[in-house]
């Protein structure tokens, strides 16, 4: 015996729609108001003499929501699997991005800092689930927003919204601009340097990883240009200057020990490439910076390996990735490099605009 399953995606004919309408009216005539309201209140308007009421255009200032009314509200995101559109496929991450709030972070040497933070929160969505209630991610996060944040607090927030949404995998990423005072090279002045930082907590297949991303901005003097300039001076008495440019490295590290602070990671980066851009500069500082660059000329390949060397020496750091972009003053293009250590950041394909995201706005 062959059983033919009707094509549920086929558009019903008018005759089928009229038959369904007649069936609904027949059911409504023999059903109570509560039964109709439970199924779909508008079904009652199909009965003779039951026209839909005129809708009010005035905002109901005094209306309050009762528990029963709230329970009656439609919730399409948590509806049955029959409402799924497209392929019933697992989605690795779905959630919200760039909701902002002030968060307190503990500095290494002083009182906590209150910083505006952009938060991305996502969870996995299994193939048989229609969707998620995205406001629950925000509500779970706000429940911890008054605490001084570190990875322990981020883990608590992730636990909450995983439980609320019934998901297996989840991710929280928090982006902020972190201020640190930086002394000048020779004048004795100091100014605030701001570092673009992100804390990320990722759980996949029951394994959690803590990750910190840091954008470190430095000057890179081209070794080849430096040698050519010196050649012109020494052989022909010709004044020449080597080219250098503002450069950006995005250093991403897996944190094995929560004692690793933002300040620590900045200092590790500075130990690798010492020519960090300056904040407060007088003439003696500018001269010192020129001397510092001449003593440390680097190609973009050198930068990646120098950062790699200092990162590998710190036991608090596991896997890591170094993205570097030297935004050329000689060429009309940039010089870039990508170096990874370990499986966490290994990748075969790159976002087409990955290196463009390293552009630093002063």
């Amino acid at each position: 015996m062959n059983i033919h399953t009707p094509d549920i995606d086929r558009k019903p004919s008018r005759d089928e729609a009229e038959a369904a309408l007649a069936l609904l009216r027949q059911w409504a005539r023999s059903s109570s108001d509560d039964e109709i309201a439970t199924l779909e209140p508008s079904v009652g308007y199909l009965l003779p003499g039951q026209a839909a009421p005129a809708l009010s255009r005035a905002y109901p200032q005094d209306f309050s929501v009762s528990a029963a009314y709230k329970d009656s509200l439609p919730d399409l995101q948590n509806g049955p699997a029959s409402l799924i559109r497209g392929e019933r496929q697992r989605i690795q991450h779905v959630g919200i991005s760039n909701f902002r709030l002030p968060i307190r972070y503990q500095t290494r040497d002083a009182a906590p800092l209150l910083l505006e933070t952009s938060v991305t929160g996502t969870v996995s969505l299994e193939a048989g689930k229609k969707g998620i209630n995205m406001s629950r991610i925000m509500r779970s996060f706000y429940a911890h927003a008054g605490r001084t944040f570190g990875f322990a607090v981020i883990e608590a927030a992730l636990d909450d919204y995983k439980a609320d949404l019934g998901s297996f995998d989840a991710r929280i990423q928090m982006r902020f601009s972190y201020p640190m005072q930086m002394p000048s090279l020779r004048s004795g002045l100091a100014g605030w340097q701001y570092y673009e930082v992100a804390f990320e907590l990722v759980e996949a297949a029951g394994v959690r990883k803590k990750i910190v991303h840091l954008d470190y901005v430095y000057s890179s003097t081209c070794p080849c240009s430096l040698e050519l300039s010196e050649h012109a001076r020494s052989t022909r008495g010709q004044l020449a200057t080597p080219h250098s440019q503002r450069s950006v490295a995005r250093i991403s590290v897996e944190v094995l020990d929560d004692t690793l602070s933002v300040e620590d990671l900045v200092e590790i980066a500075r130990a690798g490439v010492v020519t960090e851009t300056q904040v407060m500069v007088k003439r003696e500082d500018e001269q010192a910076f020129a001397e510092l660059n001449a003593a440390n000329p680097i190609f973009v390949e050198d930068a990646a390996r120098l950062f790699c060397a200092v990162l590998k020496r710190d036991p608090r750091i596991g896997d890591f990735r170094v993205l570097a972009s030297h935004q050329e003053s000689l060429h009309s293009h940039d010089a870039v490099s990508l170096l990874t250590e370990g499986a966490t950041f290994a990748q075969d394909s790159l976002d087409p605009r990955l290196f463009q995201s390293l552009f630093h706005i002063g």
Side-chain angles (χ1 to χ4, degrees), residues 245-264:
Q245 52 273 321
R246 181 183 289 173
S247 304
V248 183
R250 179 164 299 145
I251 298 171
S252 303
V253 302
E254 179 192 8
V255 177
L256 302 181
D257 184 337
D258 286 355
T259 62
L260 182 73
S261 66
V262 174
E263 292 92 339
D264 293 335

Side-chain angles (χ1 to χ4, degrees), residues 111-123:
L113 285 173
L114 186 67
L115 302 174
E116 179 184 300
T117 302
S118 169
V119 180
T120 296
T122 62
V123 294

Side-chain angles (χ1 to χ4, degrees), residues 81-339:
S82 60
L83 296 177
I84 292 175
R85 302 185 64 186
E87 189 70 25
R88 290 196 186 183
Q89 179 76 21
R90 184 180 191 268
I91 299 176
Q92 282 73 25
H93 286 280
V94 59
I96 55 178
S97 175
N98 198 34
F99 82 87
R100 295 181 296 167
L101 68 169
I103 294 290
R104 283 200 306 272
Y105 296 91
Q106 182 62 54
T107 63
R108 184 178 62 182
D109 304 317
L113 285 173
L114 186 67
L115 302 174
E116 179 184 300
T117 302
S118 169
V119 180
T120 296
T122 62
V123 294
S124 59
L125 183 64
E126 302 314 304
K129 293 181 68 174
K130 164 65 176 151
I132 68 167
N133 187 328
M134 295 193 182
S135 69
R136 290 184 183 176
I137 295 177
M138 293 182 66
R139 294 200 304 271
S140 297
F141 208 87
Y142 265 88
H144 299 273
R147 301 169 64 183
T148 299
F149 264 67
F151 274 111
V153 182
I154 301 173
E155 288 196 86
L158 185 139
D159 285 337
D160 285 353
Y161 77 66
K162 270 190 64 185
D164 284 347
L165 296 168
S167 294
F168 297 107
D169 298 339
R171 179 191 306 264
I172 289 177
Q173 187 181 88
M174 302 166 60
R175 294 187 295 109
F176 50 92
S177 188
Y178 193 87
M180 287 174 58
Q181 270 213 327
M182 180 178 174
S184 60
L185 292 172
R186 287 179 180 158
S187 66
L189 300 175
W192 290 101
Q193 188 82 281
Y194 283 82
Y195 299 91
E196 296 305 309
V197 176
F199 285 179
E200 187 172 23
L201 180 65
V202 181
E203 179 169 332
V207 177
R208 284 189 177 176
K209 291 191 175 182
K210 305 169 187 176
I211 296 168
V212 176
H213 307 271
L214 166 72
D215 280 11
Y216 177 76
V217 185
Y218 58 99
S219 174
S220 57
T221 294
C222 174
C224 182
S225 182
L226 178 61
E227 291 301 319
L228 291 172
S229 297
E230 289 306 305
H231 181 273
R233 292 178 189 229
S234 63
T235 62
R236 295 187 289 117
Q238 176 63 49
L239 180 63
T241 58
H243 80 86
S244 61
Q245 52 273 321
R246 181 183 289 173
S247 304
V248 183
R250 179 164 299 145
I251 298 171
S252 303
V253 302
E254 179 192 8
V255 177
L256 302 181
D257 184 337
D258 286 355
T259 62
L260 182 73
S261 66
V262 174
E263 292 92 339
D264 293 335
L265 190 54
V266 169
E267 290 174 359
I268 291 168
R270 193 180 294 141
V273 173
V274 299
T275 50
E276 182 179 16
T277 55
Q278 302 293 296
V279 182
M280 298 295 286
V281 176
K282 297 182 72 175
R283 284 177 298 171
E284 58 267 40
D285 300 312
E286 186 168 354
Q287 185 180 64
F289 194 61
E291 295 171 10
L292 187 65
N293 272 268
N296 296 276
I298 49 172
F299 293 117
V300 73
E301 304 95 323
D302 301 323
R305 288 169 171 153
L306 287 165
F307 288 125
C308 175
V310 292
L311 292 168
K312 289 183 78 169
R313 289 201 296 265
D314 197 304
R316 297 170 295 179
I317 293 172
D319 295 348
F320 59 82
R321 178 182 62 198
V322 177
L323 286 169
S325 175
H326 289 191
Q327 290 152 18
E328 293 275 338
S329 63
L330 169 63
H331 302 290
S332 57
H333 54 263
D334 300 335
V336 297
S337 64
L338 166 62
L339 182 153

